[in-house]
Amino acid sequence: MKTKEVLVIGTGIAGCAAALALAKKGIAVTILTSPFDQHVYHSSFIHHDSLEEKIRSLQKEKQEQLNCSRAYEQLMTYASQSVAELLEPNYLVDRRGNIDVHRCLQDQLKQHQLVEWLSNYSIIELLTLDQHSQKKVDRYKKPACIGLIAYDHDTQKVEYLLGKEIILATGGASSLFPYSAHPSTACGNGIAIASRAGARLLNMDQIQFHPLGLFEKDRPCIPLPLGLLEEGGKIYSTKSIPIEIDLVSPGHLLHQLYNQLLKTHSQHLWLDLTLLDHEALKEKYPSLDSYCLAYGFNIVKDPLPVVPIVAYTCGGIAIDKKAQTTLQRLRAIGEVACSGLFWNFREEALSVLESLTWALVCAEDISKQINKFIYYFPDIREGAAHLNSSSSVLEEDWKTLRHIMWFYVGIQRDRAHLERGCSLLDDLFLVNTPHDISSCSIEQIHLYDAIQTAQLIAHSIRAQQGSLFHYSPKLSSFF
C-alpha cells in the first residue's frame, strides 16, 4: 500500500494551484488525473486587465450580504500575493490580453521535481478512520481522512493510497444539468465522495444559472455577456420569429428564456448580432469573436444558438480559511468547496482569485504541520481488487438524470416540481445502487456519485422551500 505526503485529486485551476504552492514550499505532491478530465477552452482564460482590476477593487467594493466576512477579508488580504507567487512572472498572455491561467500553472508543475503525476486514475472512495480501519477503537477517534481508494484505468485494478493530507479539487456539479458551462464530467463526484466520508456540506441549493449561453449539443456552453442584449442583440424563437425580451434583471431574463424554450419545445433559441457594430463589439468583448469562431459561428453573418445554462456550483464541501473540511486531513479547494464566498459568474476573475488564494493559504498551513506532527496510518480493510465491465443502460440513465434536474430541480423550483423531482431521483438512486462493488464498473460508480449529488441538491432546495417532507438521502460507502 502506497503512502504519499500530499494527495491532490483534480487538475483544474484549483488543484494545480494547490499542488504548485505546496511544491514551492518543498513538499512532495502526488496529483491524480482522470482520463475523463476535460478542460473547457474558455474557462481558464481571464483577461489580464480584469484580473488586475479585481485585485485593486477588492478593498473598495462592498461585500455581498451572502458572503462570509472572514472569507472575504482573506481574499482581500491574499489575492495579490497569490497571483504574484503562483502566476507571475509566468503569465501566458495572448494578443487579446487573455491569461491562460491553467496552462501557466501546469507548465510550472511539469518542471517541478517534487510533483508526481498518477495519470488515468479515478477516485472511488475516501479512506477514513471510522469506516476503513481494522481497529474498532479508531471509530471513537476524531473523524479523519487517511487516504483514498482509486481505480487505475491502465491496470484495471483498484488501488489504496494513503496520504498525510488529501486535497479535493474535483470541480462542481453544474453538468448534472444538460446545459452547462463546464465539461460533461463536472457532476459533483467529489461532493458525493466527501459526503459519504462524513464531511459537512453547505449551501447545496445554491446553483447559479446564466441566462445566455452559446449552445452546441453535447459540448460545454460558453457564457455570453448579457450586455449583448443591451447593445441591441435580438432573441428569436426561430430564425425568423423575434421575441420581446424584458431586461429588468438577469433573473427575470432567465425565466423568460426558459419559459420560451418550454413553450416552443425547442433545444435552443437564437441571438442575432448581425445588425450591430461588430468592431465595437470586438473591442468591448475581446474574447467573444474567437469563442464563437471556435464553435463554427461568425457573429457578422450567423445568428447564434443560445440557451440558459448552469454556470457555477456555489455550494459544496464546507471549508474554513485554510481549506480544511470537517474531516481532519481532508481539504477542498475550488468549485467542489464552499468557502462562504458567492460571486456573479460574469466576474469569473473572482472565482479564479478565490482558488489561487485558498491554494496559497492551504499550502502554508500544511507546510507548518506536515513535518511537525506524526500522522497515524492504521491497517486498512481492503475490498475488491477489480471492477466489472460497463453496463449498456448507463447512457439512458444519464439522460434521465439530466432531464430530471433540468425540468424539476432547475430554474423552475415550485413545490410541485421539487416533490416530483426528489421522488424521481430517489427511484433512480435505488435502481443504480450497487449491491457488490466487484459487480460494478467505474462508469457505474461515476453515475452513482452523480445521482447522490443530485439528491443532495434537490433535497437541500426542498428543505429551503419549507417542505413538510424533509428527507436526507442515505449515502452508503462502497467499501
PDB file of all heavy atoms in Angstrom, residues 57-91:
ATOM      1  N   SER A  57      -9.750  46.488  -6.884  1.00  0.00           N
ATOM      2  CA  SER A  57     -11.069  46.950  -6.437  1.00  0.00           C
ATOM      3  C   SER A  57     -11.614  46.184  -5.240  1.00  0.00           C
ATOM      4  O   SER A  57     -12.620  46.591  -4.642  1.00  0.00           O
ATOM      5  CB  SER A  57     -12.074  46.862  -7.589  1.00  0.00           C
ATOM      6  OG  SER A  57     -12.262  45.512  -7.989  1.00  0.00           O
ATOM      7  N   LEU A  58     -10.973  45.064  -4.846  1.00  0.00           N
ATOM      8  CA  LEU A  58     -11.494  44.277  -3.730  1.00  0.00           C
ATOM      9  C   LEU A  58     -11.579  45.098  -2.444  1.00  0.00           C
ATOM     10  O   LEU A  58     -12.533  44.970  -1.672  1.00  0.00           O
ATOM     11  CB  LEU A  58     -10.612  43.038  -3.495  1.00  0.00           C
ATOM     12  CG  LEU A  58     -10.914  41.826  -4.373  1.00  0.00           C
ATOM     13  CD1 LEU A  58      -9.856  40.752  -4.173  1.00  0.00           C
ATOM     14  CD2 LEU A  58     -12.290  41.271  -4.099  1.00  0.00           C
ATOM     15  N   GLN A  59     -10.578  45.936  -2.207  1.00  0.00           N
ATOM     16  CA  GLN A  59     -10.585  46.743  -0.988  1.00  0.00           C
ATOM     17  C   GLN A  59     -11.711  47.781  -1.010  1.00  0.00           C
ATOM     18  O   GLN A  59     -12.201  48.194   0.033  1.00  0.00           O
ATOM     19  CB  GLN A  59      -9.240  47.470  -0.849  1.00  0.00           C
ATOM     20  CG  GLN A  59      -8.053  46.541  -0.631  1.00  0.00           C
ATOM     21  CD  GLN A  59      -7.968  46.030   0.800  1.00  0.00           C
ATOM     22  OE1 GLN A  59      -8.787  46.397   1.642  1.00  0.00           O
ATOM     23  NE2 GLN A  59      -6.991  45.185   1.078  1.00  0.00           N
ATOM     24  N   LYS A  60     -12.109  48.216  -2.209  1.00  0.00           N
ATOM     25  CA  LYS A  60     -13.089  49.300  -2.324  1.00  0.00           C
ATOM     26  C   LYS A  60     -14.521  48.781  -2.376  1.00  0.00           C
ATOM     27  O   LYS A  60     -15.453  49.485  -2.009  1.00  0.00           O
ATOM     28  CB  LYS A  60     -12.806  50.118  -3.592  1.00  0.00           C
ATOM     29  CG  LYS A  60     -11.411  50.717  -3.623  1.00  0.00           C
ATOM     30  CD  LYS A  60     -11.162  51.429  -4.951  1.00  0.00           C
ATOM     31  CE  LYS A  60      -9.732  51.948  -5.023  1.00  0.00           C
ATOM     32  NZ  LYS A  60      -9.450  52.593  -6.323  1.00  0.00           N
ATOM     33  N   GLU A  61     -14.689  47.542  -2.863  1.00  0.00           N
ATOM     34  CA  GLU A  61     -16.036  47.025  -3.069  1.00  0.00           C
ATOM     35  C   GLU A  61     -16.706  46.689  -1.737  1.00  0.00           C
ATOM     36  O   GLU A  61     -16.068  46.237  -0.795  1.00  0.00           O
ATOM     37  CB  GLU A  61     -16.003  45.777  -3.952  1.00  0.00           C
ATOM     38  CG  GLU A  61     -15.636  46.066  -5.392  1.00  0.00           C
ATOM     39  CD  GLU A  61     -15.619  44.785  -6.214  1.00  0.00           C
ATOM     40  OE1 GLU A  61     -15.777  43.697  -5.625  1.00  0.00           O
ATOM     41  OE2 GLU A  61     -15.427  44.873  -7.430  1.00  0.00           O
ATOM     42  N   LYS A  62     -17.994  46.870  -1.702  1.00  0.00           N
ATOM     43  CA  LYS A  62     -18.793  46.454  -0.552  1.00  0.00           C
ATOM     44  C   LYS A  62     -19.194  44.998  -0.749  1.00  0.00           C
ATOM     45  O   LYS A  62     -19.752  44.625  -1.773  1.00  0.00           O
ATOM     46  CB  LYS A  62     -20.044  47.331  -0.429  1.00  0.00           C
ATOM     47  CG  LYS A  62     -20.878  47.029   0.813  1.00  0.00           C
ATOM     48  CD  LYS A  62     -22.081  47.955   0.895  1.00  0.00           C
ATOM     49  CE  LYS A  62     -22.918  47.634   2.134  1.00  0.00           C
ATOM     50  NZ  LYS A  62     -24.104  48.517   2.217  1.00  0.00           N
ATOM     51  N   GLN A  63     -18.855  44.153   0.205  1.00  0.00           N
ATOM     52  CA  GLN A  63     -19.118  42.729   0.036  1.00  0.00           C
ATOM     53  C   GLN A  63     -20.616  42.439   0.014  1.00  0.00           C
ATOM     54  O   GLN A  63     -21.412  43.125   0.638  1.00  0.00           O
ATOM     55  CB  GLN A  63     -18.452  41.925   1.140  1.00  0.00           C
ATOM     56  CG  GLN A  63     -19.062  42.130   2.512  1.00  0.00           C
ATOM     57  CD  GLN A  63     -18.463  41.178   3.519  1.00  0.00           C
ATOM     58  OE1 GLN A  63     -17.343  40.768   3.419  1.00  0.00           O
ATOM     59  NE2 GLN A  63     -19.247  40.801   4.498  1.00  0.00           N
ATOM     60  N   GLU A  64     -20.963  41.380  -0.729  1.00  0.00           N
ATOM     61  CA  GLU A  64     -22.354  40.963  -0.798  1.00  0.00           C
ATOM     62  C   GLU A  64     -22.804  40.391   0.554  1.00  0.00           C
ATOM     63  O   GLU A  64     -22.011  39.852   1.312  1.00  0.00           O
ATOM     64  CB  GLU A  64     -22.510  39.909  -1.899  1.00  0.00           C
ATOM     65  CG  GLU A  64     -22.124  40.407  -3.275  1.00  0.00           C
ATOM     66  CD  GLU A  64     -22.223  39.295  -4.311  1.00  0.00           C
ATOM     67  OE1 GLU A  64     -23.145  38.467  -4.185  1.00  0.00           O
ATOM     68  OE2 GLU A  64     -21.397  39.261  -5.220  1.00  0.00           O
ATOM     69  N   GLN A  65     -24.093  40.504   0.830  1.00  0.00           N
ATOM     70  CA  GLN A  65     -24.603  40.072   2.132  1.00  0.00           C
ATOM     71  C   GLN A  65     -24.429  38.575   2.358  1.00  0.00           C
ATOM     72  O   GLN A  65     -24.277  38.130   3.484  1.00  0.00           O
ATOM     73  CB  GLN A  65     -26.081  40.448   2.246  1.00  0.00           C
ATOM     74  CG  GLN A  65     -26.309  41.948   2.368  1.00  0.00           C
ATOM     75  CD  GLN A  65     -27.775  42.282   2.562  1.00  0.00           C
ATOM     76  OE1 GLN A  65     -28.629  41.417   2.450  1.00  0.00           O
ATOM     77  NE2 GLN A  65     -28.066  43.535   2.842  1.00  0.00           N
ATOM     78  N   LEU A  66     -24.433  37.807   1.279  1.00  0.00           N
ATOM     79  CA  LEU A  66     -24.303  36.362   1.421  1.00  0.00           C
ATOM     80  C   LEU A  66     -22.894  35.952   1.818  1.00  0.00           C
ATOM     81  O   LEU A  66     -22.677  34.879   2.360  1.00  0.00           O
ATOM     82  CB  LEU A  66     -24.680  35.669   0.101  1.00  0.00           C
ATOM     83  CG  LEU A  66     -26.164  35.519  -0.214  1.00  0.00           C
ATOM     84  CD1 LEU A  66     -26.341  34.939  -1.609  1.00  0.00           C
ATOM     85  CD2 LEU A  66     -26.850  34.626   0.797  1.00  0.00           C
ATOM     86  N   ASN A  67     -21.897  36.781   1.532  1.00  0.00           N
ATOM     87  CA  ASN A  67     -20.515  36.392   1.746  1.00  0.00           C
ATOM     88  C   ASN A  67     -20.149  36.334   3.222  1.00  0.00           C
ATOM     89  O   ASN A  67     -20.587  37.152   4.026  1.00  0.00           O
ATOM     90  CB  ASN A  67     -19.578  37.370   1.037  1.00  0.00           C
ATOM     91  CG  ASN A  67     -19.578  37.184  -0.462  1.00  0.00           C
ATOM     92  OD1 ASN A  67     -19.873  36.103  -0.949  1.00  0.00           O
ATOM     93  ND2 ASN A  67     -19.247  38.225  -1.196  1.00  0.00           N
ATOM     94  N   CYS A  68     -19.303  35.363   3.548  1.00  0.00           N
ATOM     95  CA  CYS A  68     -18.740  35.262   4.895  1.00  0.00           C
ATOM     96  C   CYS A  68     -17.681  36.357   5.055  1.00  0.00           C
ATOM     97  O   CYS A  68     -16.765  36.450   4.233  1.00  0.00           O
ATOM     98  CB  CYS A  68     -18.130  33.884   5.090  1.00  0.00           C
ATOM     99  SG  CYS A  68     -17.151  33.698   6.588  1.00  0.00           S
ATOM    100  N   SER A  69     -17.789  37.169   6.086  1.00  0.00           N
ATOM    101  CA  SER A  69     -16.891  38.315   6.246  1.00  0.00           C
ATOM    102  C   SER A  69     -15.438  37.888   6.411  1.00  0.00           C
ATOM    103  O   SER A  69     -14.520  38.519   5.878  1.00  0.00           O
ATOM    104  CB  SER A  69     -17.329  39.168   7.438  1.00  0.00           C
ATOM    105  OG  SER A  69     -17.330  38.398   8.627  1.00  0.00           O
ATOM    106  N   ARG A  70     -15.190  36.782   7.134  1.00  0.00           N
ATOM    107  CA  ARG A  70     -13.815  36.334   7.341  1.00  0.00           C
ATOM    108  C   ARG A  70     -13.201  35.800   6.057  1.00  0.00           C
ATOM    109  O   ARG A  70     -12.021  36.025   5.774  1.00  0.00           O
ATOM    110  CB  ARG A  70     -13.779  35.256   8.431  1.00  0.00           C
ATOM    111  CG  ARG A  70     -14.032  35.789   9.833  1.00  0.00           C
ATOM    112  CD  ARG A  70     -14.107  34.678  10.851  1.00  0.00           C
ATOM    113  NE  ARG A  70     -15.237  33.802  10.609  1.00  0.00           N
ATOM    114  CZ  ARG A  70     -15.491  32.693  11.296  1.00  0.00           C
ATOM    115  NH1 ARG A  70     -14.679  32.326  12.270  1.00  0.00           N
ATOM    116  NH2 ARG A  70     -16.547  31.954  11.025  1.00  0.00           N
ATOM    117  N   ALA A  71     -14.006  35.108   5.268  1.00  0.00           N
ATOM    118  CA  ALA A  71     -13.511  34.607   3.979  1.00  0.00           C
ATOM    119  C   ALA A  71     -13.234  35.765   3.028  1.00  0.00           C
ATOM    120  O   ALA A  71     -12.231  35.772   2.305  1.00  0.00           O
ATOM    121  CB  ALA A  71     -14.531  33.645   3.368  1.00  0.00           C
ATOM    122  N   TYR A  72     -14.122  36.751   3.031  1.00  0.00           N
ATOM    123  CA  TYR A  72     -13.946  37.912   2.167  1.00  0.00           C
ATOM    124  C   TYR A  72     -12.686  38.685   2.561  1.00  0.00           C
ATOM    125  O   TYR A  72     -11.927  39.151   1.701  1.00  0.00           O
ATOM    126  CB  TYR A  72     -15.173  38.812   2.264  1.00  0.00           C
ATOM    127  CG  TYR A  72     -15.235  39.896   1.220  1.00  0.00           C
ATOM    128  CD1 TYR A  72     -15.741  39.643  -0.044  1.00  0.00           C
ATOM    129  CD2 TYR A  72     -14.790  41.184   1.505  1.00  0.00           C
ATOM    130  CE1 TYR A  72     -15.803  40.633  -1.005  1.00  0.00           C
ATOM    131  CE2 TYR A  72     -14.848  42.185   0.552  1.00  0.00           C
ATOM    132  CZ  TYR A  72     -15.355  41.903  -0.702  1.00  0.00           C
ATOM    133  OH  TYR A  72     -15.401  42.889  -1.650  1.00  0.00           O
ATOM    134  N   GLU A  73     -12.443  38.805   3.851  1.00  0.00           N
ATOM    135  CA  GLU A  73     -11.252  39.503   4.332  1.00  0.00           C
ATOM    136  C   GLU A  73      -9.979  38.772   3.897  1.00  0.00           C
ATOM    137  O   GLU A  73      -8.982  39.397   3.531  1.00  0.00           O
ATOM    138  CB  GLU A  73     -11.306  39.614   5.857  1.00  0.00           C
ATOM    139  CG  GLU A  73     -10.133  40.355   6.458  1.00  0.00           C
ATOM    140  CD  GLU A  73     -10.204  40.407   7.976  1.00  0.00           C
ATOM    141  OE1 GLU A  73     -11.242  39.988   8.525  1.00  0.00           O
ATOM    142  OE2 GLU A  73      -9.232  40.852   8.598  1.00  0.00           O
ATOM    143  N   GLN A  74     -10.028  37.441   3.936  1.00  0.00           N
ATOM    144  CA  GLN A  74      -8.859  36.674   3.498  1.00  0.00           C
ATOM    145  C   GLN A  74      -8.578  36.906   2.012  1.00  0.00           C
ATOM    146  O   GLN A  74      -7.422  37.041   1.602  1.00  0.00           O
ATOM    147  CB  GLN A  74      -9.065  35.180   3.751  1.00  0.00           C
ATOM    148  CG  GLN A  74      -7.960  34.312   3.158  1.00  0.00           C
ATOM    149  CD  GLN A  74      -7.907  32.935   3.765  1.00  0.00           C
ATOM    150  OE1 GLN A  74      -7.582  32.785   4.947  1.00  0.00           O
ATOM    151  NE2 GLN A  74      -8.221  31.918   2.980  1.00  0.00           N
ATOM    152  N   LEU A  75      -9.621  36.942   1.211  1.00  0.00           N
ATOM    153  CA  LEU A  75      -9.443  37.179  -0.212  1.00  0.00           C
ATOM    154  C   LEU A  75      -8.816  38.552  -0.453  1.00  0.00           C
ATOM    155  O   LEU A  75      -7.894  38.688  -1.269  1.00  0.00           O
ATOM    156  CB  LEU A  75     -10.786  37.072  -0.941  1.00  0.00           C
ATOM    157  CG  LEU A  75     -10.702  37.159  -2.465  1.00  0.00           C
ATOM    158  CD1 LEU A  75     -10.052  35.919  -3.041  1.00  0.00           C
ATOM    159  CD2 LEU A  75     -12.091  37.356  -3.072  1.00  0.00           C
ATOM    160  N   MET A  76      -9.305  39.554   0.240  1.00  0.00           N
ATOM    161  CA  MET A  76      -8.751  40.902   0.085  1.00  0.00           C
ATOM    162  C   MET A  76      -7.275  40.939   0.489  1.00  0.00           C
ATOM    163  O   MET A  76      -6.467  41.632  -0.119  1.00  0.00           O
ATOM    164  CB  MET A  76      -9.540  41.901   0.935  1.00  0.00           C
ATOM    165  CG  MET A  76     -10.935  42.194   0.427  1.00  0.00           C
ATOM    166  SD  MET A  76     -11.685  43.612   1.267  1.00  0.00           S
ATOM    167  CE  MET A  76     -11.800  43.011   2.953  1.00  0.00           C
ATOM    168  N   THR A  77      -6.928  40.161   1.506  1.00  0.00           N
ATOM    169  CA  THR A  77      -5.575  40.202   2.056  1.00  0.00           C
ATOM    170  C   THR A  77      -4.569  39.468   1.177  1.00  0.00           C
ATOM    171  O   THR A  77      -3.441  39.937   0.980  1.00  0.00           O
ATOM    172  CB  THR A  77      -5.558  39.597   3.472  1.00  0.00           C
ATOM    173  OG1 THR A  77      -6.516  40.275   4.289  1.00  0.00           O
ATOM    174  CG2 THR A  77      -4.173  39.706   4.097  1.00  0.00           C
ATOM    175  N   TYR A  78      -4.974  38.313   0.616  1.00  0.00           N
ATOM    176  CA  TYR A  78      -4.004  37.441  -0.036  1.00  0.00           C
ATOM    177  C   TYR A  78      -4.147  37.321  -1.555  1.00  0.00           C
ATOM    178  O   TYR A  78      -3.333  36.642  -2.186  1.00  0.00           O
ATOM    179  CB  TYR A  78      -4.082  36.027   0.568  1.00  0.00           C
ATOM    180  CG  TYR A  78      -3.596  35.950   1.992  1.00  0.00           C
ATOM    181  CD1 TYR A  78      -4.495  35.924   3.057  1.00  0.00           C
ATOM    182  CD2 TYR A  78      -2.245  35.906   2.288  1.00  0.00           C
ATOM    183  CE1 TYR A  78      -4.062  35.853   4.374  1.00  0.00           C
ATOM    184  CE2 TYR A  78      -1.795  35.822   3.591  1.00  0.00           C
ATOM    185  CZ  TYR A  78      -2.704  35.802   4.625  1.00  0.00           C
ATOM    186  OH  TYR A  78      -2.258  35.738   5.926  1.00  0.00           O
ATOM    187  N   ALA A  79      -5.136  37.947  -2.147  1.00  0.00           N
ATOM    188  CA  ALA A  79      -5.344  37.785  -3.592  1.00  0.00           C
ATOM    189  C   ALA A  79      -4.129  38.229  -4.394  1.00  0.00           C
ATOM    190  O   ALA A  79      -3.649  37.517  -5.285  1.00  0.00           O
ATOM    191  CB  ALA A  79      -6.589  38.556  -4.032  1.00  0.00           C
ATOM    192  N   SER A  80      -3.627  39.401  -4.092  1.00  0.00           N
ATOM    193  CA  SER A  80      -2.482  39.928  -4.836  1.00  0.00           C
ATOM    194  C   SER A  80      -1.246  39.055  -4.641  1.00  0.00           C
ATOM    195  O   SER A  80      -0.515  38.764  -5.600  1.00  0.00           O
ATOM    196  CB  SER A  80      -2.189  41.360  -4.376  1.00  0.00           C
ATOM    197  OG  SER A  80      -1.139  41.917  -5.119  1.00  0.00           O
ATOM    198  N   GLN A  81      -1.025  38.597  -3.413  1.00  0.00           N
ATOM    199  CA  GLN A  81       0.128  37.736  -3.129  1.00  0.00           C
ATOM    200  C   GLN A  81       0.015  36.401  -3.863  1.00  0.00           C
ATOM    201  O   GLN A  81       1.019  35.875  -4.370  1.00  0.00           O
ATOM    202  CB  GLN A  81       0.234  37.497  -1.624  1.00  0.00           C
ATOM    203  CG  GLN A  81       1.422  36.630  -1.215  1.00  0.00           C
ATOM    204  CD  GLN A  81       1.437  36.350   0.281  1.00  0.00           C
ATOM    205  OE1 GLN A  81       0.746  37.021   1.071  1.00  0.00           O
ATOM    206  NE2 GLN A  81       2.207  35.355   0.685  1.00  0.00           N
ATOM    207  N   SER A  82      -1.185  35.834  -3.923  1.00  0.00           N
ATOM    208  CA  SER A  82      -1.356  34.542  -4.595  1.00  0.00           C
ATOM    209  C   SER A  82      -1.056  34.644  -6.085  1.00  0.00           C
ATOM    210  O   SER A  82      -0.443  33.753  -6.664  1.00  0.00           O
ATOM    211  CB  SER A  82      -2.778  34.010  -4.368  1.00  0.00           C
ATOM    212  OG  SER A  82      -3.738  34.809  -5.028  1.00  0.00           O
ATOM    213  N   VAL A  83      -1.482  35.741  -6.710  1.00  0.00           N
ATOM    214  CA  VAL A  83      -1.178  35.948  -8.132  1.00  0.00           C
ATOM    215  C   VAL A  83       0.321  36.113  -8.329  1.00  0.00           C
ATOM    216  O   VAL A  83       0.920  35.542  -9.250  1.00  0.00           O
ATOM    217  CB  VAL A  83      -1.946  37.172  -8.680  1.00  0.00           C
ATOM    218  CG1 VAL A  83      -1.481  37.519 -10.086  1.00  0.00           C
ATOM    219  CG2 VAL A  83      -3.439  36.892  -8.683  1.00  0.00           C
ATOM    220  N   ALA A  84       0.955  36.895  -7.455  1.00  0.00           N
ATOM    221  CA  ALA A  84       2.387  37.143  -7.576  1.00  0.00           C
ATOM    222  C   ALA A  84       3.196  35.860  -7.425  1.00  0.00           C
ATOM    223  O   ALA A  84       4.179  35.638  -8.149  1.00  0.00           O
ATOM    224  CB  ALA A  84       2.823  38.167  -6.523  1.00  0.00           C
ATOM    225  N   GLU A  85       2.794  34.975  -6.501  1.00  0.00           N
ATOM    226  CA  GLU A  85       3.579  33.765  -6.235  1.00  0.00           C
ATOM    227  C   GLU A  85       3.278  32.618  -7.191  1.00  0.00           C
ATOM    228  O   GLU A  85       4.162  31.818  -7.498  1.00  0.00           O
ATOM    229  CB  GLU A  85       3.347  33.312  -4.791  1.00  0.00           C
ATOM    230  CG  GLU A  85       3.921  34.262  -3.759  1.00  0.00           C
ATOM    231  CD  GLU A  85       3.930  33.664  -2.364  1.00  0.00           C
ATOM    232  OE1 GLU A  85       3.862  32.414  -2.244  1.00  0.00           O
ATOM    233  OE2 GLU A  85       4.005  34.439  -1.390  1.00  0.00           O
ATOM    234  N   LEU A  86       2.038  32.529  -7.661  1.00  0.00           N
ATOM    235  CA  LEU A  86       1.659  31.371  -8.453  1.00  0.00           C
ATOM    236  C   LEU A  86       1.607  31.631  -9.961  1.00  0.00           C
ATOM    237  O   LEU A  86       1.736  30.690 -10.751  1.00  0.00           O
ATOM    238  CB  LEU A  86       0.297  30.840  -7.988  1.00  0.00           C
ATOM    239  CG  LEU A  86       0.225  30.386  -6.527  1.00  0.00           C
ATOM    240  CD1 LEU A  86      -1.178  29.946  -6.167  1.00  0.00           C
ATOM    241  CD2 LEU A  86       1.221  29.263  -6.266  1.00  0.00           C
ATOM    242  N   LEU A  87       1.423  32.860 -10.371  1.00  0.00           N
ATOM    243  CA  LEU A  87       1.310  33.153 -11.803  1.00  0.00           C
ATOM    244  C   LEU A  87       2.470  33.989 -12.340  1.00  0.00           C
ATOM    245  O   LEU A  87       3.076  33.648 -13.348  1.00  0.00           O
ATOM    246  CB  LEU A  87      -0.011  33.866 -12.094  1.00  0.00           C
ATOM    247  CG  LEU A  87      -1.296  33.103 -11.803  1.00  0.00           C
ATOM    248  CD1 LEU A  87      -2.503  33.929 -12.198  1.00  0.00           C
ATOM    249  CD2 LEU A  87      -1.317  31.763 -12.523  1.00  0.00           C
ATOM    250  N   GLU A  88       2.765  35.097 -11.686  1.00  0.00           N
ATOM    251  CA  GLU A  88       3.846  35.954 -12.165  1.00  0.00           C
ATOM    252  C   GLU A  88       5.181  35.318 -11.800  1.00  0.00           C
ATOM    253  O   GLU A  88       5.324  34.697 -10.742  1.00  0.00           O
ATOM    254  CB  GLU A  88       3.742  37.340 -11.523  1.00  0.00           C
ATOM    255  CG  GLU A  88       2.462  38.075 -11.870  1.00  0.00           C
ATOM    256  CD  GLU A  88       2.318  39.385 -11.103  1.00  0.00           C
ATOM    257  OE1 GLU A  88       3.086  39.586 -10.128  1.00  0.00           O
ATOM    258  OE2 GLU A  88       1.464  40.195 -11.467  1.00  0.00           O
ATOM    259  N   PRO A  89       6.250  35.452 -12.616  1.00  0.00           N
ATOM    260  CA  PRO A  89       6.247  36.124 -13.926  1.00  0.00           C
ATOM    261  C   PRO A  89       6.025  35.135 -15.074  1.00  0.00           C
ATOM    262  O   PRO A  89       6.630  35.260 -16.135  1.00  0.00           O
ATOM    263  CB  PRO A  89       7.661  36.702 -13.971  1.00  0.00           C
ATOM    264  CG  PRO A  89       8.488  35.674 -13.244  1.00  0.00           C
ATOM    265  CD  PRO A  89       7.607  35.052 -12.199  1.00  0.00           C
ATOM    266  N   ASN A  90       5.194  34.137 -14.836  1.00  0.00           N
ATOM    267  CA  ASN A  90       4.959  33.089 -15.831  1.00  0.00           C
ATOM    268  C   ASN A  90       3.673  33.298 -16.623  1.00  0.00           C
ATOM    269  O   ASN A  90       3.097  32.356 -17.167  1.00  0.00           O
ATOM    270  CB  ASN A  90       4.891  31.719 -15.128  1.00  0.00           C
ATOM    271  CG  ASN A  90       6.167  31.397 -14.392  1.00  0.00           C
ATOM    272  OD1 ASN A  90       7.150  31.026 -14.991  1.00  0.00           O
ATOM    273  ND2 ASN A  90       6.154  31.546 -13.060  1.00  0.00           N
ATOM    274  N   TYR A  91       3.193  34.545 -16.649  1.00  0.00           N
ATOM    275  CA  TYR A  91       1.989  34.852 -17.409  1.00  0.00           C
ATOM    276  C   TYR A  91       2.122  34.389 -18.851  1.00  0.00           C
ATOM    277  O   TYR A  91       3.135  34.624 -19.503  1.00  0.00           O
ATOM    278  CB  TYR A  91       1.734  36.359 -17.431  1.00  0.00           C
ATOM    279  CG  TYR A  91       0.949  36.899 -16.261  1.00  0.00           C
ATOM    280  CD1 TYR A  91       1.097  38.223 -15.878  1.00  0.00           C
ATOM    281  CD2 TYR A  91       0.070  36.113 -15.544  1.00  0.00           C
ATOM    282  CE1 TYR A  91       0.377  38.760 -14.810  1.00  0.00           C
ATOM    283  CE2 TYR A  91      -0.658  36.630 -14.482  1.00  0.00           C
ATOM    284  CZ  TYR A  91      -0.498  37.951 -14.121  1.00  0.00           C
ATOM    285  OH  TYR A  91      -1.211  38.450 -13.063  1.00  0.00           O
TER     286      TYR A  91
END
